[in-house]
Amino acid sequence: MTMPQPVPMRNQPRPNAADHAKLWILHGAAWLALMIYVWTAWVVSGDFRTNTTGRGSEPDWYVALIRGWEVFALVVSLVILWWFVVRPKLRTGRFGFDALFFLGCMALCFQEPWINWTAPQFLYSTTSINFGSWTAHIPGWTSPNSELVPLSLWALSAYFWLVGIPAYAGSRFMRRLRTRNAGLSNLRLVGYTYLAFCVFDVLLESFITRTQLFSYGSTVPALTLWAGTDHQFPIYETISWAGTYTVLASLHFFRDDRGRSLPERGIDKLRITSGRLRTFAQFLAIMGACQAGMLFTYNIPYAYWGMHAVMAEPFVAREWRTAGVCGPKTAYDCPAPNLPIARIGSPTNRIDR
């Protein structure tokens, strides 16, 4: 006689699911605490001020481009905020997953300037609206003069539309692939998505670097396309950033039948009676996962590349790009072969010849 087999319950939480959720919530809370500490220290220190070094020496076409781009960035950001966050909240009275996901992507702006941890590699311009950068107040930061980095406001808002939207689109792409081929393994699904993001990133970054909306000023020449020009592009950027996109798209796509992403699973087992507090806990878990994704796929690899990077001469000669962080008129020479890597506390890295 054949014994009937038990029917498995879909997405039944494991006994340690609550602990799993607690770890992700605490992880997100740690990130939030770090943000509050760093941004507060930045504002009260007096480093929160506009950097105008070299402003006025840029070509007129560039000034017009930046002003138009800043307006575009503001409009697009407000549209996305309305469509994915505010509008659903007004309709349902709660923040759904998409709202928390886009807010989590927006919080990644905290890591935007971390690419310059070991050396100035990523350049904005003093032409743009900026208030310097908060990186000098991050515990363990090593690169000097980082408070002068003119972190463009449009680059921060871009985490809605240059990060959140592509990640959301990547999730939809994964859904379409799975719909067309239900037997497609998760590994191949993620692999195809990563390759698609590689193509997308090359096209996107080609436009951005050619127009110099931002620039990869310091790169490893042997791993850089058009090395030495003002539109040079490191191929390892695509390898890393496509990885970040893929992590975010996977976070959005791989959800259970209750709509819970991986870091949220088990939250229902926690003794949280307040609906608002539960939503906040979900946000912390999602935001923390986003932060971990960007840290490990992008900023940690770039900390390594920064120790081997060389700044192209066209940027060294343009104060509105180097912004007083490095260069002939500062205490620190920009990254160059056989030049010591500048560190906070060292008076200079310049070698007298």
Side-chain angles (χ1 to χ4, degrees):
M1 180 177 178
T2 303
M3 298 295 293
Q5 297 296 316
V7 178
M9 297 181 65
R10 295 185 64 189
N11 298 304
Q12 178 68 22
R14 299 184 302 274
N16 63 343
D19 292 337
H20 169 92
K22 284 179 183 178
L23 288 176
W24 278 111
I25 293 169
L26 290 173
H27 174 75
W31 276 103
L32 182 60
L34 180 61
M35 292 177 201
I36 294 173
Y37 165 76
V38 171
W39 283 334
T40 301
W42 175 44
V43 172
V44 302
S45 70
D47 289 339
F48 182 81
R49 60 181 183 272
T50 300
N51 185 347
T52 60
T53 303
R55 185 181 288 185
S57 58
E58 332 86 308
D60 292 340
W61 68 265
Y62 185 77
V63 177
L65 172 66
I66 289 296
R67 294 295 170 257
W69 194 257
E70 287 170 337
V71 173
F72 166 81
L74 175 61
V75 172
V76 174
S77 298
L78 291 176
V79 169
I80 294 173
L81 182 63
W82 165 258
W83 187 263
F84 287 100
V85 181
V86 178
R87 178 171 169 266
K89 177 67 165 61
L90 294 176
R91 283 186 170 185
T92 65
R94 57 183 295 273
F95 289 112
F97 177 81
D98 281 347
L100 300 180
F101 177 76
F102 272 89
L103 291 174
C105 287
M106 184 61 203
L108 287 173
C109 71
F110 179 61
Q111 288 195 58
E112 164 68 10
W114 287 25
I115 187 176
N116 295 324
W117 193 296
T118 52
Q121 302 181 76
F122 193 70
L123 305 181
Y124 310 92
S125 73
T126 56
T127 310
S128 60
I129 299 173
N130 75 87
F131 296 97
S133 172
W134 52 79
T135 49
H137 303 280
I138 297 174
W141 189 266
T142 64
S143 184
N145 283 344
S146 66
E147 71 280 359
L148 300 177
V149 173
L151 187 56
S152 303
L153 285 186
W154 78 258
L156 301 182
S157 71
Y159 278 82
F160 268 136
W161 43 278
L162 279 185
V163 179
I165 289 294
Y168 177 82
S171 174
R172 299 293 294 267
F173 175 72
M174 297 172 86
R175 181 187 302 176
R176 183 172 181 178
L177 289 179
R178 179 58 60 80
T179 300
R180 297 179 65 178
N181 185 357
L184 191 65
S185 69
N186 289 343
L187 181 60
R188 291 179 65 187
L189 183 65
V190 170
Y192 290 150
T193 304
Y194 174 78
L195 293 176
F197 274 131
C198 284
V199 175
F200 170 75
D201 184 70
V202 168
L203 295 175
L204 174 65
E205 302 275 358
S206 295
F207 166 75
I208 289 176
T209 54
R210 287 283 178 170
T211 56
Q212 299 183 45
L213 290 170
F214 56 67
S215 303
Y216 296 93
S218 300
T219 66
V220 179
L223 300 175
T224 302
L225 302 175
W226 309 290
T229 68
D230 62 5
H231 54 274
Q232 63 182 5
F233 179 68
I235 56 177
Y236 49 84
E237 194 283 337
T238 287
I239 294 172
S240 285
W241 192 243
T244 303
Y245 272 145
T246 304
V247 168
L248 296 176
S250 298
L251 176 65
H252 189 282
F253 176 77
F254 290 108
R255 287 182 281 164
D256 61 22
D257 55 1
R258 299 188 62 186
R260 300 288 199 215
S261 62
L262 178 63
E264 298 173 272
R265 294 173 192 176
I267 283 182
D268 293 331
K269 292 293 181 180
L270 299 178
R271 295 179 180 177
I272 303 177
T273 57
S274 168
R276 291 183 178 180
L277 188 57
R278 183 179 297 276
T279 299
F280 183 58
Q282 289 177 253
F283 168 71
L284 289 177
I286 294 169
M287 183 268 289
C290 291
Q291 296 287 345
M294 183 173 177
L295 178 66
F296 286 100
T297 61
Y298 195 73
N299 279 320
I300 287 180
Y302 253 98
Y304 170 78
W305 297 121
M307 295 187 292
H308 304 274
V310 177
M311 184 168 289
E313 184 58 34
F315 298 111
V316 178
R318 299 172 184 172
E319 277 192 295
W320 51 280
R321 301 318 301 260
T322 54
V325 176
C326 65
K329 296 182 180 180
T330 73
Y332 302 93
D333 281 337
C334 296
N338 304 317
L339 192 68
I341 298 175
R343 290 289 179 267
I344 289 179
S346 60
T348 185
N349 68 332
R350 185 165 289 128
I351 298 177
D352 294 327
R353 292 180 174 84

